[in-house]
Amino acid sequence: ESSIPLHKAIRVEIECFVPKELQPHVTLASRNRKGQLYRLGGKWEEGRVKGSISTLGDLFVAADTIAPRIGPQFKPEEDLSRSKRLTFKVSDNFSGIASLTAFIDGRWHPVDYHAIRGTASLDLEQIAPERRDHTLTLRLKDGCGNTAEWRGLFRR
């Protein structure tokens, strides 16, 4: 057995050397039965990586410095006046998507995130039907603080 479940989560602190540029990106991690890394959570504080865990097993410190990826599932140059949604493919290599924020024409806009499908969608039915170019900014942040941003225009 690679991990033993605990009845109650416990606080863990691992004192270690982490270069200053990696400190904002470190987390507690472990391996699953297939040997793949997965994030347990936690962050760098006062010379230690601190977090809560709910299983015992192999535990180590890992740094995630790779930003999430964003890919539009539409062609920004095409007329989207009949489209009800804009969909993006979103992914992260390790720590997972922690937050998504969208702005259309400088105003905050809600985002539907489907982690299993790896998609983020924006409902366009709330946008005024006037035909013109709209600006869109979609920002992602992963569990270790890395960010990605997609900026573009779409016609509606």
Side-chain angles (χ1 to χ4, degrees):
E1 184 73 25
S2 61
S3 63
I4 301 164
L6 298 171
H7 175 68
K8 197 174 188 183
I10 60 171
R11 185 93 175 133
V12 174
E13 297 184 13
I14 298 177
E15 188 173 341
C16 57
F17 170 76
V18 176
K20 191 169 185 85
E21 64 275 8
L22 294 179
Q23 290 173 3
H25 304 286
V26 296
T27 186
L28 296 173
S30 192
R31 290 190 185 276
N32 64 19
R33 289 185 173 149
K34 295 180 181 179
Q36 298 166 317
L37 296 179
Y38 65 94
R39 180 176 180 261
L40 294 171
K43 61 183 181 176
W44 180 262
E45 292 178 30
E46 303 164 351
R48 296 176 174 90
V49 180
K50 300 178 180 182
S52 294
I53 61 170
S54 56
T55 59
L56 291 177
D58 294 335
L59 180 66
F60 50 91
V61 173
D64 178 0
T65 60
I66 298 172
R69 287 190 282 249
I70 308 171
Q73 301 296 292
F74 60 93
K75 294 180 180 160
E77 65 274 1
E78 71 185 73
D79 182 2
L80 299 170
S81 60
R82 294 190 177 160
S83 298
K84 292 182 180 183
R85 302 183 80 66
L86 291 181
T87 303
F88 291 83
K89 193 77 174 158
V90 295
S91 63
D92 187 67
N93 70 319
F94 175 61
S95 58
I97 305 294
S99 68
L100 297 99
T101 310
F103 296 92
I104 296 178
D105 299 329
R107 299 173 110 187
W108 178 85
H109 194 82
V111 181
D112 294 325
Y113 174 51
H114 303 282
I116 293 172
R117 287 188 232 148
T119 60
S121 301
L122 290 86
D123 182 358
L124 296 180
E125 293 182 333
Q126 299 170 359
I127 297 175
E130 64 210 34
R131 288 189 180 223
R132 67 179 183 95
D133 287 342
H134 296 274
T135 60
L136 169 62
T137 303
L138 179 63
R139 295 184 185 126
L140 273 73
K141 188 176 194 179
D142 72 13
C144 285
N146 301 299
T147 60
E149 182 174 277
W150 186 90
R151 287 178 180 248
L153 296 173
F154 68 94
R155 178 159 299 211
R156 173 134 171 99

